[in-house]
CSV table of all heavy atoms in Angstrom, one decimal:
chain,number,residue,atom,x,y,z
A,201,ALA,N,-22.0,-74.0,-58.3
A,201,ALA,CA,-21.9,-73.9,-56.9
A,201,ALA,C,-21.1,-75.1,-56.3
A,201,ALA,O,-20.3,-75.0,-55.4
A,201,ALA,CB,-23.3,-73.8,-56.3
A,202,LEU,N,-21.3,-76.3,-56.9
A,202,LEU,CA,-20.6,-77.5,-56.5
A,202,LEU,C,-19.1,-77.3,-56.7
A,202,LEU,O,-18.3,-77.6,-55.8
A,202,LEU,CB,-21.1,-78.7,-57.3
A,202,LEU,CG,-20.5,-80.1,-57.0
A,202,LEU,CD1,-21.6,-81.2,-57.4
A,202,LEU,CD2,-19.2,-80.4,-57.7
A,203,VAL,N,-18.7,-76.8,-57.9
A,203,VAL,CA,-17.3,-76.6,-58.2
A,203,VAL,C,-16.7,-75.6,-57.2
A,203,VAL,O,-15.6,-75.7,-56.7
A,203,VAL,CB,-17.2,-76.1,-59.7
A,203,VAL,CG1,-15.7,-75.7,-60.0
A,203,VAL,CG2,-17.5,-77.3,-60.6
A,204,ASP,N,-17.4,-74.5,-57.0
A,204,ASP,CA,-17.0,-73.5,-56.0
A,204,ASP,C,-16.7,-74.1,-54.6
A,204,ASP,O,-15.7,-73.8,-54.0
A,204,ASP,CB,-18.0,-72.3,-55.9
A,204,ASP,CG,-17.8,-71.3,-57.0
A,204,ASP,OD1,-16.7,-71.2,-57.6
A,204,ASP,OD2,-18.8,-70.6,-57.3
A,205,ALA,N,-17.7,-74.8,-54.2
A,205,ALA,CA,-17.6,-75.4,-52.8
A,205,ALA,C,-16.4,-76.4,-52.7
A,205,ALA,O,-15.7,-76.4,-51.7
A,205,ALA,CB,-18.9,-76.1,-52.4
A,206,ALA,N,-16.3,-77.2,-53.7
A,206,ALA,CA,-15.2,-78.2,-53.7
A,206,ALA,C,-13.8,-77.5,-53.8
A,206,ALA,O,-12.9,-77.9,-53.2
A,206,ALA,CB,-15.4,-79.2,-54.8
A,207,ALA,N,-13.7,-76.5,-54.6
A,207,ALA,CA,-12.5,-75.7,-54.8
A,207,ALA,C,-12.1,-75.1,-53.5
A,207,ALA,O,-10.9,-75.1,-53.1
A,207,ALA,CB,-12.6,-74.7,-55.9
A,208,ASP,N,-13.0,-74.4,-52.8
A,208,ASP,CA,-12.7,-73.7,-51.6
A,208,ASP,C,-12.2,-74.8,-50.6
A,208,ASP,O,-11.1,-74.5,-49.9
A,208,ASP,CB,-13.9,-73.0,-51.0
A,208,ASP,CG,-14.3,-71.8,-51.8
A,208,ASP,OD1,-13.4,-71.3,-52.5
A,208,ASP,OD2,-15.4,-71.3,-51.6
A,209,ARG,N,-12.9,-75.9,-50.5
A,209,ARG,CA,-12.5,-76.9,-49.5
A,209,ARG,C,-11.2,-77.5,-49.8
A,209,ARG,O,-10.3,-77.8,-48.9
A,209,ARG,CB,-13.6,-77.9,-49.4
A,209,ARG,CG,-13.5,-78.9,-48.2
A,209,ARG,CD,-14.8,-79.5,-47.9
A,209,ARG,NE,-14.8,-80.6,-46.9
A,209,ARG,CZ,-15.8,-81.1,-46.3
A,209,ARG,NH1,-17.0,-80.6,-46.6
A,209,ARG,NH2,-15.7,-82.0,-45.4
A,210,LEU,N,-10.9,-77.7,-51.1
A,210,LEU,CA,-9.7,-78.4,-51.5
A,210,LEU,C,-8.5,-77.5,-51.3
A,210,LEU,O,-7.4,-77.9,-50.8
A,210,LEU,CB,-9.8,-78.8,-53.0
A,210,LEU,CG,-8.5,-79.4,-53.6
A,210,LEU,CD1,-8.0,-80.6,-52.8
A,210,LEU,CD2,-8.9,-79.9,-55.0
A,211,LEU,N,-8.6,-76.2,-51.6
A,211,LEU,CA,-7.5,-75.3,-51.4
A,211,LEU,C,-7.2,-75.2,-49.9
A,211,LEU,O,-6.0,-75.1,-49.5
A,211,LEU,CB,-7.8,-73.9,-51.9
A,211,LEU,CG,-7.8,-73.8,-53.5
A,211,LEU,CD1,-8.3,-72.4,-53.9
A,211,LEU,CD2,-6.3,-74.0,-54.0
A,212,ALA,N,-8.2,-75.2,-49.0
A,212,ALA,CA,-8.0,-75.1,-47.6
A,212,ALA,C,-7.3,-76.4,-47.1
A,212,ALA,O,-6.4,-76.3,-46.3
A,212,ALA,CB,-9.3,-74.9,-46.9
A,213,LEU,N,-7.7,-77.5,-47.6
A,213,LEU,CA,-7.0,-78.8,-47.3
A,213,LEU,C,-5.6,-78.8,-47.7
A,213,LEU,O,-4.7,-79.1,-46.9
A,213,LEU,CB,-7.8,-79.9,-47.9
A,213,LEU,CG,-7.1,-81.3,-47.8
A,213,LEU,CD1,-7.0,-81.8,-46.3
A,213,LEU,CD2,-7.8,-82.4,-48.6
A,214,LEU,N,-5.3,-78.4,-48.9
A,214,LEU,CA,-3.9,-78.4,-49.4
A,214,LEU,C,-3.0,-77.5,-48.6
A,214,LEU,O,-1.9,-77.8,-48.2
A,214,LEU,CB,-3.9,-78.1,-50.9
A,214,LEU,CG,-4.6,-79.0,-51.8
A,214,LEU,CD1,-4.6,-78.5,-53.2
A,214,LEU,CD2,-3.9,-80.4,-51.8
A,215,ALA,N,-3.6,-76.3,-48.3
A,215,ALA,CA,-2.8,-75.3,-47.5
A,215,ALA,C,-2.5,-75.8,-46.1
A,215,ALA,O,-1.4,-75.6,-45.6
A,215,ALA,CB,-3.6,-74.0,-47.5
A,216,ALA,N,-3.5,-76.5,-45.5
A,216,ALA,CA,-3.3,-77.0,-44.2
A,216,ALA,C,-2.2,-78.1,-44.1
A,216,ALA,O,-1.4,-78.1,-43.2
A,216,ALA,CB,-4.6,-77.5,-43.6
A,217,ILE,N,-2.2,-79.0,-45.1
A,217,ILE,CA,-1.2,-80.0,-45.1
A,217,ILE,C,0.2,-79.4,-45.3
A,217,ILE,O,1.1,-79.8,-44.7
A,217,ILE,CB,-1.5,-81.0,-46.3
A,217,ILE,CG1,-2.8,-81.8,-45.9
A,217,ILE,CG2,-0.4,-82.0,-46.5
A,217,ILE,CD1,-3.3,-82.7,-47.1
A,218,GLN,N,0.3,-78.5,-46.2
A,218,GLN,CA,1.6,-77.9,-46.5
A,218,GLN,C,2.1,-77.0,-45.4
A,218,GLN,O,3.3,-76.7,-45.3
A,218,GLN,CB,1.5,-77.1,-47.9
A,218,GLN,CG,1.3,-78.0,-49.1
A,218,GLN,CD,1.4,-77.3,-50.4
A,218,GLN,OE1,1.1,-76.1,-50.4
A,218,GLN,NE2,1.7,-78.0,-51.5
A,219,ALA,N,1.2,-76.4,-44.6
A,219,ALA,CA,1.6,-75.5,-43.5
A,219,ALA,C,2.3,-76.3,-42.4
A,219,ALA,O,3.1,-75.6,-41.6
A,219,ALA,CB,0.4,-74.8,-43.0
A,220,ASP,N,2.2,-77.6,-42.4
A,220,ASP,CA,2.8,-78.4,-41.3
A,220,ASP,C,3.9,-79.2,-42.0
A,220,ASP,O,3.6,-80.0,-42.9
A,220,ASP,CB,1.7,-79.3,-40.7
A,220,ASP,CG,2.3,-80.1,-39.5
A,220,ASP,OD1,3.5,-80.1,-39.3
A,220,ASP,OD2,1.5,-80.8,-38.9
A,221,ALA,N,5.1,-79.1,-41.5
A,221,ALA,CA,6.2,-79.8,-42.1
A,221,ALA,C,6.0,-81.3,-42.0
A,221,ALA,O,6.6,-82.1,-42.8
A,221,ALA,CB,7.6,-79.4,-41.5
A,222,ALA,N,5.2,-81.7,-41.0
A,222,ALA,CA,4.9,-83.2,-40.8
A,222,ALA,C,3.5,-83.4,-41.2
A,222,ALA,O,2.9,-84.4,-40.8
A,222,ALA,CB,5.2,-83.6,-39.4
A,223,GLY,N,2.9,-82.6,-42.0
A,223,GLY,CA,1.5,-82.7,-42.4
A,223,GLY,C,1.2,-83.8,-43.4
A,223,GLY,O,2.1,-84.2,-44.1
A,224,GLY,N,-0.1,-84.2,-43.5
A,224,GLY,CA,-0.5,-85.1,-44.5
A,224,GLY,C,-0.3,-86.5,-44.1
A,224,GLY,O,0.3,-86.9,-43.1
A,225,LEU,N,-0.8,-87.4,-44.9
A,225,LEU,CA,-0.8,-88.8,-44.7
A,225,LEU,C,0.6,-89.4,-44.6
A,225,LEU,O,0.9,-90.3,-43.8
A,225,LEU,CB,-1.6,-89.6,-45.8
A,225,LEU,CG,-1.9,-91.0,-45.5
A,225,LEU,CD1,-2.8,-91.2,-44.3
A,225,LEU,CD2,-2.7,-91.6,-46.8
A,226,HIS,N,1.6,-88.8,-45.3
A,226,HIS,CA,2.9,-89.3,-45.3
A,226,HIS,C,3.8,-88.5,-44.4
A,226,HIS,O,5.0,-88.8,-44.3
A,226,HIS,CB,3.5,-89.2,-46.8
A,226,HIS,CG,2.9,-90.2,-47.7
A,226,HIS,ND1,1.6,-90.1,-48.2
A,226,HIS,CD2,3.4,-91.4,-48.2
A,226,HIS,CE1,1.3,-91.1,-49.0
A,226,HIS,NE2,2.4,-91.9,-49.0
A,227,GLY,N,3.3,-87.5,-43.6
A,227,GLY,CA,4.1,-86.9,-42.6
A,227,GLY,C,5.2,-86.0,-43.2
A,227,GLY,O,6.2,-85.7,-42.5
A,228,ASP,N,5.1,-85.5,-44.4
A,228,ASP,CA,6.1,-84.7,-45.0
A,228,ASP,C,5.6,-83.4,-45.6
A,228,ASP,O,6.4,-82.7,-46.3
A,228,ASP,CB,6.8,-85.5,-46.1
A,228,ASP,CG,5.9,-86.0,-47.2
A,228,ASP,OD1,4.7,-85.6,-47.2
A,228,ASP,OD2,6.3,-86.7,-48.2
A,229,GLY,N,4.4,-83.0,-45.3
A,229,GLY,CA,3.8,-81.8,-45.8
A,229,GLY,C,3.6,-81.8,-47.3
A,229,GLY,O,3.3,-80.7,-47.8
A,230,VAL,N,3.6,-82.9,-47.9
A,230,VAL,CA,3.3,-83.0,-49.4
A,230,VAL,C,2.0,-83.8,-49.6
A,230,VAL,O,2.0,-85.0,-49.4
A,230,VAL,CB,4.5,-83.7,-50.1
A,230,VAL,CG1,4.2,-83.8,-51.6
A,230,VAL,CG2,5.8,-82.9,-49.9
A,231,PRO,N,1.0,-83.1,-50.1
A,231,PRO,CA,-0.3,-83.8,-50.3
A,231,PRO,C,-0.2,-84.7,-51.5
A,231,PRO,O,0.5,-84.4,-52.5
A,231,PRO,CB,-1.3,-82.7,-50.6
A,231,PRO,CG,-0.6,-81.4,-50.2
A,231,PRO,CD,0.9,-81.7,-50.3
């Protein structure tokens, strides 16, 4: 269940960063 919860949250985070061309800590959409 831990692995499932972390995987769901991680995929959502990566998708959100990549969906914004200026997303993420570096502002380039690349996590």
